[in-house]
Each structure stands twice: as C-alpha cells, then as structure tokens.
Amino acid sequence: SRKKVIVKNLNSIQNLGGVDILCTDKTGTLTDGSFNVVAIHPQAGIDPDRLLSIAAHAEAYSNHPIALSVKQAYSGPIDQQRIDDVQEQSGHGVRAKIDEHVVLVGNDKLMSECGVGCHECELTGTILHVSLDGEYIGHIVIADVVKPDAAEAVAALRAAGVKKTVMLTGDRADVAAAVAKELGIDEFRAQLLPQDKVAEVEKLLEETHAHGSGKGKLAFVGDGINDAPVLTRADIGIAMGAMGSDAAIEAADVVLMDDDPRKIAKAIKISRKCLRIVYQNTWFAIGIKLGCLLLGALGIANMWLAIFADVGVMVLAVLNAIRALFVKNL
C-alpha cells in the first residue's frame, strides 16, 4: 500500500510471486490513452470537415478514448437532436442515424460485416473508417502516445523473472507491432474482441501448465471495462486504478493506484520477498519446536527452552517478517 499497490488477499500475494507470463492490454496500460486525430482522409468529393462532423456526431454518446479524441478534434457544436438510434458494438465501433442517414464509424471489421468496402492507410495508428448510407466516405487516423516509463517497466519485468510478455489489443496489427517493438514485448495479438482476449489467455494458460511445472502463473494487466472478463480468467488480474474502470478494479486481484506500469515488477518483488519470509519463518519454527521435542524426550529440555520454543520463536518470526517492509531497488 505504501508503494501505491493494493493486493486484495493472500492468494494474490502467492500467485503474484509465481508469475511466469504477463499479458497486458495496450490502450491505457502501455499507452497513456490520450488519443489525438493526426490525419483525416476523405474520399473524393467529401469535405474533411463534413467527415469529421459525421464521425463526431456518431460518437456523441461514447466515452471511449477514441471517441473522445474525435469529439475533441471537431470544433463545431454537436446537435444531439440530429442523432438517433445509436448502437455501440464492442470491439467494432458505432452505428447511428444522423439526419435520417445511417452512419457507421469503426474499424475494418465493422465495415466488412456491413458490406462496406474500405481501404487501409499507410500511416501507423488507429484507423476509424466512416460510411454514410452504406457508402464509404473516408477514414480518420488517430494516434496514441506510449507511456514514457513503459519500456522501463517491460525491462523491469524481465529482470524480475517474468519469462514472457504478451500484448493483447483490439488495435490493428501494424500499430501493435510498432508498440511491441518499441517496448521490447516478446509477443502480441492484435484486432481482438473482449472474448478473443479471454480465448488467448486460456491458450496461454494451457501452454503454461503443459510446459511448466504447474507452479508458473499468468497475470493480465488491463484498465477498461472490456478487460474485466480477462482479469477474472487469468491467474492474477492487475488493474490500473487511477484511469481504470470500476468493473476492471472490482474484477482485479491487484490494483495499481497511480497507473505506473513499473509498479508491476515492484509488486512481484515484494510478493516474492514476502513468500520467502513466510517459508523461512515456517521452517524455522518447525525446526526449533521439533528440536525441543527431541530434547524433551531425552530429558534434557527445561522450562526456559520451552519458553524460547514458544514465545522466543514467535518474537523472532515477527522481527524477520518486518524485513518485508524493506525491498531493494524500489
């Protein structure tokens, strides 16, 4: 708690100390979630301001960071009376009626499902495609900023003994690849829906149990409401508390109160030291008591030795446990 890491129960301490594979979301976890519109690419004959206006009106009721960035980039007022029948499709985008016209704003999966042809963009970033009455009218390029301490956090995880890091994201493969390369993440899975993330975590859990000793644990780090199922499914769920959704914080076993990803490695170090102290105290207490029992059976033990085996061992165990408050390199 002093390090702004909240661990909810003893099992979480034990699991955290045995993390071999760490899976992480991208947006809001490795990146700061502050999306910015960096380019607007309309189709021929479409005004860029009109494209942005349509997208901003469609996203008017969404609190997703991407939607907020689109609304922020649009300088004009949003007339909610023009908007009707808004439907958010998790991991895909938004469908809405604007001035009685059907508008789709989302990724290429949404366009494909609705039979709208779209084309890719050469710029690296999140691509928000827009269609009007089934006709593709252009796309908006949105970029997210990697947290300045994210690369250091990944290196610290490796130094702490985590064998593999995996990034799970709903973003495009090229964006995921660029972030993974920049941060030194071992593997990534892109364009995943919330249920796809659960499936990927289950595959990694099977891999861990099949090739490991069974003691290795899998942790998942996320912050969004869509991450709650994955946080529950992993051996240990870690939520980014300051920016994270209430659902993610509730589902997680560990909460990072200041959204600093470096705290993950610190929490692992603290938990491993706590476990070492627990084992030291357990074996020390058992050893002393068995020794006193043996001496008592031989008629050598006296009352003072019995007091030491009881109260003395307890005092030494408490003093040893105090070492858990002091962990190096924090």
Side-chain angles (χ1 to χ4, degrees):
S1 298
R2 186 187 298 170
K3 300 297 180 183
K4 296 184 179 181
V5 179
I6 305 300
V7 184
K8 294 184 179 180
N9 53 60
L10 180 60
N11 286 337
S12 299
I13 283 281
Q14 192 165 358
N15 289 337
L16 193 59
V19 171
D20 281 343
I21 298 178
L22 186 130
C23 300
T24 176
D25 182 37
K26 179 179 74 69
T27 305
T29 304
L30 298 176
T31 62
D32 60 14
S34 60
F35 288 89
N36 295 303
V37 173
V38 296
I40 301 172
H41 294 162
Q43 293 290 89
I46 302 295
D47 183 67
D49 290 336
R50 182 166 181 251
L51 176 64
L52 184 59
S53 173
I54 290 172
H57 278 78
E59 300 279 15
Y61 296 103
S62 176
N63 290 321
H64 192 280
I66 291 177
L68 295 176
S69 69
V70 172
K71 289 184 284 186
Q72 185 178 5
Y74 178 59
S75 58
I78 295 178
D79 186 358
Q80 296 185 355
Q81 294 182 351
R82 297 172 56 194
I83 309 167
D84 188 25
D85 191 24
V86 179
Q87 301 174 15
E88 280 199 65
Q89 300 184 25
S90 179
H92 287 72
V94 176
R95 180 188 185 278
K97 280 188 177 181
I98 301 174
D99 297 330
E100 299 303 320
H101 296 285
V102 178
V103 174
L104 298 174
V105 180
N107 56 23
D108 52 355
K109 290 183 179 179
L110 179 65
M111 297 294 126
S112 178
E113 285 184 1
C114 297
V116 178
C118 62
H119 57 81
E120 293 298 328
C121 181
E122 60 185 16
L123 298 179
T124 300
T126 299
I127 308 300
L128 208 60
H129 300 284
V130 183
S131 76
L132 181 66
D133 289 330
E135 181 181 353
Y136 186 67
I137 60 173
H139 60 264
I140 300 170
V141 185
I142 299 170
D144 194 7
V145 180
V146 174
K147 288 183 177 179
D149 48 16
E152 183 183 344
V154 174
L157 286 168
R158 194 166 285 111
V162 175
K163 297 177 181 177
K164 183 164 70 173
T165 52
V166 183
M167 183 174 68
L168 307 178
T169 177
D171 215 335
R172 296 166 57 201
D174 58 341
V175 177
V179 173
K181 183 178 180 181
E182 180 179 350
L183 300 182
I185 293 174
D186 298 318
E187 299 177 11
F188 68 89
R189 314 279 193 275
Q191 293 184 298
L192 299 176
L193 299 175
Q195 60 267 28
D196 297 330
K197 290 184 180 181
V198 176
E200 290 294 334
V201 165
E202 288 178 345
K203 289 179 184 177
L204 289 167
L205 283 169
E206 291 177 2
E207 176 186 328
T208 304
H209 298 155
H211 297 95
S213 62
K215 296 181 180 180
K217 301 297 180 181
L218 182 144
F220 178 83
V221 189
D223 73 315
I225 190 170
N226 292 335
D227 295 327
V230 202
L231 290 166
T232 304
R233 183 64 187 89
D235 290 321
I236 182 162
I238 304 173
M240 309 296 277
M243 290 180 61
S245 69
D246 291 342
I249 294 171
E250 181 67 26
D253 304 296
V254 178
V255 181
L256 308 182
M257 297 308 298
D258 58 359
D259 291 323
D260 183 352
R262 294 174 297 180
K263 293 292 175 67
I264 303 170
K266 295 177 181 180
I268 291 174
K269 287 181 180 179
I270 291 172
S271 65
R272 287 178 177 168
K273 183 166 186 177
C274 285
L275 289 174
R276 285 197 302 270
I277 291 172
V278 168
Y279 295 140
Q280 288 169 8
N281 285 344
T282 301
W283 290 114
F284 172 71
I286 290 174
I288 293 295
K289 290 179 184 296
L290 287 176
C292 289
L293 284 172
L294 180 60
L295 292 175
L298 297 175
I300 302 174
N302 56 24
M303 181 60 70
W304 289 110
L305 189 60
I307 292 173
F308 172 75
D310 184 22
V311 180
V313 166
M314 181 270 292
V315 171
L316 290 174
V318 170
L319 293 174
N320 189 40
I322 291 174
R323 294 194 303 114
L325 296 175
F326 308 100
V327 182
K328 294 180 180 179
N329 302 321
L330 289 185

